[in-house]
Amino acid sequence: MQLILAISYIFLFVLGLVVGSFLNVCIYRIPKGISTCSGRSMCPACGSMIHGYDNIPLLSYLILRGRCRSCGARISPRYPLVELLTGGCFLLCGMTWGLSAETVIFCIFSAVLVTVAFIDLDTQEIPDRFHFIILGLGIAALFLVPQTGWVSRLIGAACVSIPMLVIALATDGFGLGDVKLMAVSGFLLGWKNIVFAALLGAVLAAACALTLIAMKKKTKKDKIAFGPYLAIALFVAALFGDAIIGAYLSLFSL
């Protein structure tokens, strides 16, 4: 049994690397309106097509020492980072839920979050297609992950997103993409975990903003993408939210 688990963990990590390679394509192409399903990958600097042997997740970057084979231009370290992040997320999902429907659902969820985080970081927008994917995962989870009831999911869809929507309309404090992300994620995770994710995301965003301001890389008037911090918080909530909330409540004997 341990051998099967070890093999499944290796498989999930490698699968995550491969999926992460595709996510790099999505992150680059979707904001530009370019199809993600057609056309070969090419070097952004010289435009030369990248051959299959130079497009192996993580390994090709290491072999090429982070440079294009054709022109020698430096390849952004973001590409292997996205691959490693996705591989790590898939591995953590497998270690948390084992061989189960939850692993499949939350591997897909993590892949969406990685993509959302980097697109929002670049454009401060979250394309609606990702909200629909998460909503689909929430509907599937109604049948495959019945531990979180539909009442908790409906409350989760509203309890954070509605206050965020009010703030967004009144002060422009949030983007509508952030609001929709929390609504569909709340339907997937349930109300307790989405509240935890909202609090954690706010703390992470505030800490980062204060650090950037202190380093004089941002000013108080600059907008900072909230999506990446929400993505981190949502993934933490999905994997560890129940345990963290339980440990916190136990401090007060609740």
Side-chain angles (χ1 to χ4, degrees):
M1 185 63 182
Q2 290 182 342
L3 178 61
I4 294 175
L5 280 176
I7 293 173
S8 68
Y9 293 158
I10 294 172
F11 171 77
L12 281 172
F13 180 71
V14 174
L15 177 63
L17 293 179
V18 174
V19 171
S21 181
F22 175 69
L23 297 186
N24 276 317
V25 175
C26 295
I27 292 165
Y28 177 79
R29 293 188 181 186
I30 289 176
K32 298 178 182 297
I34 304 172
S35 171
T36 59
C37 300
S38 62
R40 294 280 298 275
S41 297
M42 60 182 61
C43 172
C46 67
S48 60
M49 286 194 300
I50 299 175
H51 298 287
Y53 51 78
D54 285 337
N55 210 18
I56 302 171
L58 191 59
L59 287 179
S60 291
Y61 183 86
L62 296 175
I63 293 171
L64 294 170
R65 298 181 180 180
R67 292 188 178 276
C68 172
R69 184 184 294 275
S70 299
C71 67
R74 183 170 295 279
I75 301 170
S76 172
R78 172 186 287 192
Y79 293 106
L81 174 61
V82 169
E83 292 166 357
L84 278 172
L85 275 176
T86 312
C89 288
F90 277 34
L91 178 60
L92 284 173
C93 289
M95 294 176 68
T96 302
W97 289 289
L99 302 174
S100 66
E102 287 98 330
T103 296
V104 176
I105 287 173
F106 288 106
C107 278
I108 298 172
F109 184 51
S110 68
V112 172
L113 292 178
V114 170
T115 312
V116 161
F118 282 96
I119 289 180
D120 193 40
L121 191 64
D122 290 340
T123 67
Q124 295 196 351
E125 293 183 0
I126 301 176
D128 281 337
R129 69 183 72 185
F130 298 112
H131 302 130
F132 287 116
I133 294 172
I134 297 174
L135 179 60
L137 292 175
I139 293 171
L142 276 172
F143 305 97
L144 300 175
V145 191
Q147 297 91 326
T148 303
W150 64 271
V151 174
S152 176
R153 295 182 189 279
L154 289 176
I155 295 173
C159 65
V160 170
S161 62
I162 290 178
M164 284 182 66
L165 177 61
V166 173
I167 295 172
L169 295 176
T171 67
D172 197 29
F174 299 109
L176 292 180
D178 299 327
V179 175
K180 288 181 277 190
L181 176 64
M182 295 304 279
V184 293
S185 297
F187 185 74
L188 174 62
L189 300 178
W191 75 268
K192 290 182 181 179
N193 282 329
I194 200 63
V195 169
F196 168 73
L199 294 173
L200 178 59
V203 170
L204 292 175
C208 184
L210 291 173
T211 301
L212 291 174
I213 292 171
M215 295 173 65
K216 296 183 179 181
K217 292 187 175 182
K218 293 284 186 180
T219 68
K220 293 180 179 180
K221 295 182 179 180
D222 291 330
K223 286 188 176 182
I224 297 176
F226 196 26
Y229 308 103
L230 290 179
I232 295 170
L234 287 167
F235 185 70
V236 172
L239 267 69
F240 311 114
D242 290 336
I244 294 173
I245 294 169
Y248 176 77
L249 293 178
S250 68
L251 295 175
F252 304 94
S253 300
L254 297 176

